[in-house]
Every structure is written in C-alpha cells, then in structure tokens.
Amino acid sequence: MRSINDNNESIFCGNELAATLIDMVRKKAPSQIFLLTDQHTKEFCLEAVEPHLGSWNYHLLCIAPGEESKTIKQSEILWAELSRLNADRNSLVINLGGGVVTDLGGFIAATYQRGISFINIPTTLLGMVDASIGGKCGVDLGVLKNQVGVITSAFATIVYPPFIKTLPKRELISGWMEMIKHGFITSKEYLDATLLFETNDLSKIESLIWTSIVIKNNVVQNDQTELGRRKTLNFGHTLGHAIESYGLQKKGQNWIKHGEAIAIGMGLACYLSHKIYAFPEEVFNDYLSKVKKLVAFPNFTENDIAQIIDYLKYDKKNSHGGVNFVLLKDIGQEVLDVTVKNDFIYEAFGAIGQSKQ
Ligand SMILES: NC(=O)c1ccc[n+]([C@@H]2O[C@H](COP(=O)([O-])OP(=O)(O)OC[C@H]3O[C@@H](n4cnc5c(N)ncnc54)[C@H](O)[C@@H]3O)[C@@H](O)[C@H]2O)c1
Ligand SMILES: [Zn+2]
C-alpha cells in the first residue's frame, strides 16, 4: 500500500484493502462501527469490506444513491439513527461510497456529539482523487451545492482502485476530468498522461490515481482554509459549477455530471487564460480535441449563457460582489482571483464550440 501519513490523517492506496482497514480499525478501537453505503455501493463494494468487520460490533446504514441524498434532511435521519443505536464519542463511521457518501458521512460524523471519527473508503474515481481527500464535507441547500459543511480530517482514507471496475462509464469520465485538472495545475507531463485516458489498464490508472492524490493532498495541506494555493483546485470550476447549477435547475439531475461540467469549464478557463494571459493555444486545442471525444459539449444559446453567467453570483470564491476566476499563464502557473468581463465569457463559449477538432 502506498501511503501518506500526516499528523492527523493517513491516506492509503493499493490493493490491500482488508489488511489496511483492519489495522486502522484496531488502532481506533471503537465502541461501535457504523458503515455507511448507498444502494449501489452496498451492491458492488460491501462484500470487499463487510467480512473484515466481523469481530467488531457494527451496523449498516444505507442511503439512496445520488446527490438528492446530500441534504440536512438525510443528515437528520442518520443522526437520529446513530442516537437510537447508542453511538457514543468512541464510535467510528466508515464511509463506503462516492463523493456523496463521503461528503455526507464525514459531515454527520464531524457533527454528531460534536464530532466522532470516520474512515473514508471512496468507491468512485472522483471520490478517490478528489472528494475523499482534503477534509471538506457537507451537504447541499436546495440547488446550492455544499452550502453547509465543515473542514475536518478523516481518521484514515483507504483508496482501493479495483472498485472502479463496476463504475458506469460516465462516472469514470467524470472522475477523470479532475485528474486532468490536476495536470493543468501542476505539470505538462502529468497533463499529457491524463489526457491519454487509458482506463482499461488498471495498473496504469492506479499510479495516476496515486499521483492525483499526492497533488491534491499537497495543495490542501499547504492551505487548509483556501486562502491561496487551494484555490487552484477550482480551475475550471467557476463556470463549471454555474453550468452544473443551470443543468440541475433547467434540465434535471442526469443532464450533466459534475466532471462533465468541469470538462466544459476547463475548456472555457483555458480559452480565457489564452485570451488574458497568453496561455498556449496548442494546449487548449489539444485538450479540446481529446476531451470532446469523451464528453458531449452541449450547444449553448446566448440565452443559456446569460443564465449560466447569472449563476456565477452564487460561487463561493466570490468576494466583495466580484466573481473570481482561477486562470493559468501556463501549465502549473496559476493566476488567482481574476475578474473576467462577460463579453469574454460569451467569446469563450464560442471558442470551445468552434475550435479545431
Ligand atoms: N469534499 C470535496 O472536496 C469534494 C470534491 C469533489 C466533489 N465532491 C462531491 O462529491 C459528490 C460527487 O461524487 P461522485 O461523483 O463520487 O458521486 P456519487 O457518490 O453520487 O457516485 C456516483 C454514482 O456511482 C455509484 N457508485 C459509487 N461507487 C460505485 C462503484 N464502485 N460501482 C458502481 N457504482 C458506484 C453511486 O451509487 C452513484 O450512483 C458531489 O456531491 C460533490 O459535491 C466533494
Ligand atoms: Zn470538481
């Protein structure tokens, strides 16, 4: 197992799921264990975990899959369940699932009786390289994502890449986009590696997953409260989130996945970076030609774009009424807190639609 051991959090990645889990649970010596899954991870991932918890007193908690479960209402149901089952300050929550399960499970654990320990076992690619790393957890408020939450560390995060074998293709691509983002914000070498999108060779993916974990963890460790470098993780996310919110409200839950919206957002951010900071055009074109083979870019009308721009006002990176973008001068060279004119945003939508393929 590869591992990172910081003061208050350990991250493991590799094939020895059972041994690592048993070891970490022994260290914690919990009074009880609460294993949180959603219906899909209960079906596909539970059998790799459950047999190893036999010697502890544990309860299974299962939620409906999808973002609809990431709510205060669902949190209340889980808090009540913990209370009914006499969870105490020495109980342990194990989150077995994608970003929804780790965000929600981390949040209920961090708040129940002012905080009990939790272990994350991410089961989606997005969960492995992004959602389970860095300590952000929380729930949505209506269509506004992640409006209520905390930043806290998991006792351990155990990444077991074989879980991605049962992931639907769109979910796999969605997670992959965050790895491409890690490339944009660090090095050309890693960006080129992720743009190859070799999802059939698990051994190659494993080492890319590990690189992404290290990148995200480094950025986060150096900036827990998002005052500086952590903002680079929002590359592609300003317009990406606005597209996601627009999709949720106007087109329904399944129209666009987070990573698909981010794929479009990164295309737009590349164009804006090129326009404002001379980011290399060939990198922008190479990105678009490769990513458009994986993600369908919708045709946005002027009216759609106006609505998307309107959603920018909810972006959590905003300050003093201005919308703050993360742009790049070059791969790995970020410029934070950039204000962008709406005209440029319309132009960027045009550019990602018409660019060479
Ligand atoms: N905390 C953070 O820093 C952070 C970062 C990025 C995203 N997020 C959050 O993560 C969430 C998205 O995460 P996600 O994309 O993992 O979504 P998800 O948890 O909804 O999982 C996607 C789908 O895949 C299913 N699934 C999970 N593992 C599976 C497996 N191994 N095989 C088959 N199906 C499986 C799930 O049941 C679900 O239907 C969002 O709520 C987002 O806000 C949080
Ligand atoms: Zn993201």
Side-chain angles (χ1 to χ4, degrees):
M1 248 7 202
R2 307 187 218 215
S3 68
I4 299 170
N5 292 295
D6 288 327
N7 298 340
N8 45 7
E9 181 178 16
S10 303
I11 304 171
F12 303 90
C13 178
N15 288 328
E16 294 96 67
L17 171 63
T20 313
L21 178 63
I22 291 168
D23 193 37
M24 292 317 287
V25 175
R26 274 203 191 119
K27 262 193 194 143
K28 193 73 225 164
S31 52
Q32 293 196 77
I33 295 176
F34 296 87
L35 180 56
L36 180 66
T37 68
D38 71 18
Q39 279 148 9
H40 296 146
T41 61
K42 183 177 172 193
E43 183 182 343
F44 296 115
C45 311
L46 187 61
E47 65 185 3
V49 171
E50 196 174 31
H52 310 293
L53 298 178
S55 52
W56 286 280
N57 178 13
Y58 81 95
H59 303 273
L60 184 64
L61 307 172
C62 182
I63 58 168
E67 194 72 24
E68 297 96 322
S69 287
K70 234 180 83 173
T71 59
I72 282 290
K73 200 166 164 205
Q74 181 66 68
S75 307
E76 263 187 288
I77 294 169
L78 292 170
W79 286 318
E81 198 58 6
L82 290 177
S83 179
R84 189 181 70 77
L85 294 165
N86 301 317
D88 62 20
R89 302 245 329 119
N90 204 27
S91 298
L92 173 70
V93 173
I94 299 179
N95 301 314
L96 178 66
V100 166
V101 168
T102 54
D103 273 18
L104 173 72
F107 176 65
I108 59 132
T111 46
Y112 180 78
Q113 293 191 354
R114 297 196 181 85
I116 60 177
S117 294
F118 62 97
I119 291 178
N120 282 334
I121 308 180
T123 61
T124 61
L125 186 56
L126 188 122
M128 294 176 191
V129 299
D130 194 356
S132 72
I133 312 292
K136 279 189 183 175
C137 20
V139 296
D140 303 332
L141 205 56
V143 292
L144 298 181
K145 298 219 356 161
N146 307 323
Q147 287 287 309
V148 179
V150 293
I151 298 184
T152 183
S153 292
F155 176 64
T157 297
I158 307 172
V159 176
Y160 178 63
F163 277 143
I164 65 174
K165 283 188 205 155
T166 53
L167 266 188
K169 183 97 184 171
R170 272 181 87 189
E171 301 295 351
L172 192 66
I173 290 173
S174 189
W176 200 274
M177 294 303 139
E178 302 288 355
M179 297 166 73
I180 293 176
K181 176 191 77 182
H182 291 147
F184 271 119
I185 65 170
T186 52
S187 74
K188 172 136 178 45
E189 192 193 357
Y190 191 54
L191 179 63
D192 288 344
T194 54
L195 281 172
L196 289 177
F197 197 71
E198 288 182 280
T199 55
N200 293 325
D201 183 344
L202 199 60
S203 64
K204 276 201 184 130
I205 300 189
E206 272 184 35
S207 97
L208 295 178
I209 288 175
W210 180 247
T211 306
S212 269
I213 290 171
V214 171
I215 291 171
K216 173 145 190 198
N217 188 60
N218 280 346
V219 171
V220 168
Q221 289 308 321
N222 291 326
D223 183 14
Q224 283 285 353
T225 49
E226 201 161 317
L227 293 170
R229 176 114 171 97
R230 189 168 183 157
K231 290 183 185 172
T232 55
L233 294 169
N234 290 320
F235 179 69
H237 280 59
T238 306
L239 279 159
H241 275 149
I243 292 168
E244 210 179 352
S245 301
Y246 161 84
L248 269 181
Q249 194 133 79
K250 306 284 162 159
K251 309 275 184 182
Q253 277 287 345
N254 247 336
W255 183 69
I256 204 156
K257 302 247 164 246
H258 174 75
E260 294 168 339
I262 296 319
I264 300 168
M266 287 194 289
L268 296 165
C270 273
Y271 178 80
L272 293 170
S273 298
H274 170 62
K275 171 109 189 154
I276 304 172
Y277 295 109
F279 180 82
E281 191 172 18
E282 62 278 12
V283 179
F284 167 62
N285 284 331
D286 183 47
Y287 169 75
L288 272 193
S289 68
K290 290 187 170 137
V291 165
K292 278 186 162 184
K293 292 192 184 113
L294 308 170
V295 177
F297 281 31
N299 262 332
F300 294 105
T301 63
E302 290 237 331
N303 182 33
D304 298 330
I305 300 169
Q307 293 182 54
I308 289 166
I309 289 174
D310 204 42
Y311 277 107
L312 289 175
K313 62 175 175 252
Y314 298 113
D315 196 282
K316 285 196 285 299
K317 297 179 299 303
N318 295 347
S319 56
H320 312 297
V323 179
N324 290 330
F325 281 75
V326 177
L327 299 181
L328 298 173
K329 284 190 204 153
D330 204 339
I331 298 166
Q333 292 179 30
E334 72 273 8
V335 194
L336 303 177
D337 302 330
V338 183
T339 312
V340 175
K341 285 192 256 178
N342 285 355
D343 284 0
F344 285 4
I345 297 178
Y346 282 98
E347 199 178 307
F349 272 97
I352 62 161
Q354 291 149 13
S355 197
K356 289 175 265 155
Q357 286 202 47

